[in-house]
């Protein structure tokens, strides 16, 4: 099974992207076709079982020619749509990942660029907050289990019990199935997140059921499974050579049996791309949180 954290890719992988009962896909393009927005809505248990993802909304923003200002505005507008009527006066932003490993540093880099306001509101009062149109924002980059010895959920539960936010926004690096989506795609979902799921390193889920508050997850695929790249190229070559689809699948099954596991790759300019994506996401959240309360 090719690994991916993107609901859109799961939908595309199911027998030629056929219609699925309980799953709705809506697509639109913006910026003269440079940006594509796809919304996958999983409405019931059947759709959830087929997609292997929780019931909820998954918004995917893809770009081929990245314009930072446009992407900031689009990401902010899509984030607002996903929030809907969710109360968001007090927001906690969590940047998951290991800042020492570039493809996993997205979350901490977003936190570094956020405009946090909780301490200002506590010092200068409610009148100061209303005059400046601030939401109450706090932020945390909890690191990874290898650094802290604790699950992210264990750390967050203790903090949430003290500050009681209305909603938690979680940012994390993801894994993609399609190479073209690496560092070029943002997924926003109201279903929370399972840290490390795309690279086979599952941790305890961060969602409303486990944390007790609404959870919005924002992710960017920064890696792709090496197996996926090999299989795609081999499959394409064999089909072009005249082998039947059945013969190709038998051959790929043999490759999977002998494959080396846990090898993931990213782009050579990952440093620059992570900086761009972290800027887009942080600015989108800053815009969202500095609107009139």
């Amino acid at each position: 099974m090719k690994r991916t954290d993107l609901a859109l890719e799961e939908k595309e992988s199911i027998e030629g992207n056929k219609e699925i009962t309980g799953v709705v896909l809506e697509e639109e393009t913006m910026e003269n076709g440079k940006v594509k927005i796809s919304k996958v809505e999983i409405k019931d248990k059947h759709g959830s079982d087929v997609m292997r993802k929780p019931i909820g909304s998954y918004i995917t923003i893809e770009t081929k020619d990245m314009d930072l200002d446009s992407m900031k505005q689009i990401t902010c507008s899509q984030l607002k749509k996903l929030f809907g009527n969710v109360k968001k006066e007090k927001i906690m932003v969590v940047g998951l990942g290991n800042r020492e490993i570039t493809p996993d540093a997205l979350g901490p880099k977003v936190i570094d660029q956020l405009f946090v306001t909780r301490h200002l509101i506590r010092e200068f009062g409610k009148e100061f907050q209303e005059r400046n149109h601030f939401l109450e924002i706090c932020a945390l980059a909890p690191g990874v289990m290898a650094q802290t010895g604790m699950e992210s959920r264990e750390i967050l539960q203790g903090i949430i019990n003290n500050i009681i936010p209305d909603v938690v926004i979680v940012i994390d690096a993801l894994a993609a199935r399609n190479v073209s989506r690496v560092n070029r795609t943002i997924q926003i979902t109201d279903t929370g997140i399972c840290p490390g799921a795309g690279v086979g390193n599952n941790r305890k889920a961060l969602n409303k059921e486990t944390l007790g508050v609404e959870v919005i997850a924002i992710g960017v695929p920064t890696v792709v499974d090496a197996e996926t790249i090999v299989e795609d190229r081999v499959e394409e070559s064999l089909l072009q050579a005249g082998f039947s689809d059945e013969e190709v699948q038998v051959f790929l099954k043999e490759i999977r049996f002998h494959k080396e596991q846990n090898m993931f790759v990213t782009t050579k300019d990952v440093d620059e791309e992570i900086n761009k994506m972290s800027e887009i996401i942080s600015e989108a959240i800053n815009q969202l949180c500095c609107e009139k309360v």
Side-chain angles (χ1 to χ4, degrees):
M1 182 63 64
K2 298 178 183 180
R3 294 170 177 169
T4 182
D5 288 310
L6 300 178
L8 179 61
E9 290 190 331
E10 287 288 1
K11 176 71 171 63
E12 292 171 344
S13 70
I14 298 173
E15 293 187 23
N17 201 18
K18 71 175 184 180
E19 292 295 322
I20 303 168
T21 303
V23 178
V24 177
L25 172 63
E26 299 177 356
E27 297 178 321
E28 64 174 311
T29 58
M30 304 179 69
E31 299 293 316
N32 296 319
K34 293 181 180 179
V35 178
K36 178 181 177 182
I37 299 174
S38 306
K39 181 178 180 181
V40 176
E41 187 84 23
I42 301 178
K43 294 182 172 293
D44 56 29
K45 186 178 184 302
H46 177 267
S48 177
D49 291 342
V50 174
M51 292 281 290
R52 299 189 296 275
K53 290 191 175 295
I55 295 172
S57 300
Y58 301 80
I59 297 173
T60 306
I61 307 168
E62 301 176 73
T63 179
K64 296 180 180 179
D65 184 11
M66 188 180 298
D67 178 85
L68 290 182
D69 290 335
S70 296
M71 284 295 290
K72 290 172 187 177
Q73 296 298 327
I74 292 170
T75 302
C76 183
S77 66
Q78 295 301 316
L79 190 56
K80 287 180 181 179
K81 289 181 181 180
L82 200 61
F83 265 92
N85 296 321
V86 173
K87 183 181 179 182
K88 59 179 189 300
E89 293 179 5
K90 297 169 64 177
I91 298 177
M92 178 178 176
V93 185
V94 180
L96 300 178
N98 186 345
R99 67 168 68 246
E100 304 300 325
I101 301 175
T102 304
D104 197 34
L106 176 73
K109 282 183 174 291
V110 170
I111 297 300
D112 290 344
Q113 301 173 73
L114 285 181
F115 177 47
V116 294
T117 61
R118 184 172 184 266
H119 61 303
L120 298 174
I121 294 169
R122 289 169 68 88
E123 181 173 354
F124 299 111
K126 195 74 174 177
E127 182 182 345
F128 169 83
Q129 177 186 9
E130 293 175 352
R131 185 170 66 251
N132 291 281
H133 308 314
F134 291 158
L135 298 177
E136 184 177 314
I137 312 301
C138 62
L140 173 70
V144 294
M145 194 172 186
Q147 296 170 322
T148 66
M150 296 177 285
E151 290 266 10
S152 295
R153 190 176 78 175
E154 294 172 326
I155 297 172
L156 297 183
Q157 282 176 326
I159 297 173
I160 288 170
N161 290 339
N162 278 278
I163 67 172
I164 314 177
D166 297 317
V167 62
V168 174
I169 300 177
V170 181
I171 299 103
D172 199 10
L174 308 177
R177 178 177 293 150
N178 190 324
V179 177
S180 67
R181 290 192 169 112
V182 173
N183 297 324
R184 285 289 184 274
T185 305
I186 298 173
Q187 176 176 268
I188 310 172
T189 176
D190 58 6
T191 64
I193 196 169
C194 290
V199 295
N201 189 25
N202 293 344
R203 299 300 181 198
K204 294 179 180 178
L206 305 177
N207 53 38
K208 185 175 182 179
E209 288 68 34
T210 60
L211 297 181
V213 296
E214 297 288 344
V215 178
I216 302 293
I218 305 175
V220 173
T222 63
V223 297
V224 63
D225 193 341
E227 174 194 355
T228 297
I229 300 174
V230 172
E231 286 192 16
D232 287 349
R233 298 292 83 77
V234 169
E235 182 176 7
E236 181 181 353
S237 298
L238 291 178
L239 289 174
Q240 289 179 350
F243 288 90
S244 68
D245 186 65
E246 182 178 350
E247 291 172 324
V248 171
Q249 294 308 313
V250 170
F251 185 76
L252 292 178
K253 184 177 180 180
E254 181 68 15
I255 291 178
R256 295 186 192 111
F257 181 76
H258 295 292
K259 73 181 177 70
E260 295 292 331
Q261 296 183 351
N262 296 323
M263 181 177 290
F264 292 85
V265 296
T266 189
T267 58
K268 65 180 181 180
D269 58 349
V270 63
D271 304 74
E272 179 182 355
E273 298 302 332
I274 290 294
N275 287 336
K276 288 181 181 179
M277 282 298 188
S278 63
E279 181 180 340
I280 289 169
I281 294 171
S282 60
E283 184 59 28
I285 296 174
N286 286 337
Q287 289 181 28
L288 176 76
C289 297
C290 290
E291 61 185 14
K292 187 172 183 179
V293 180

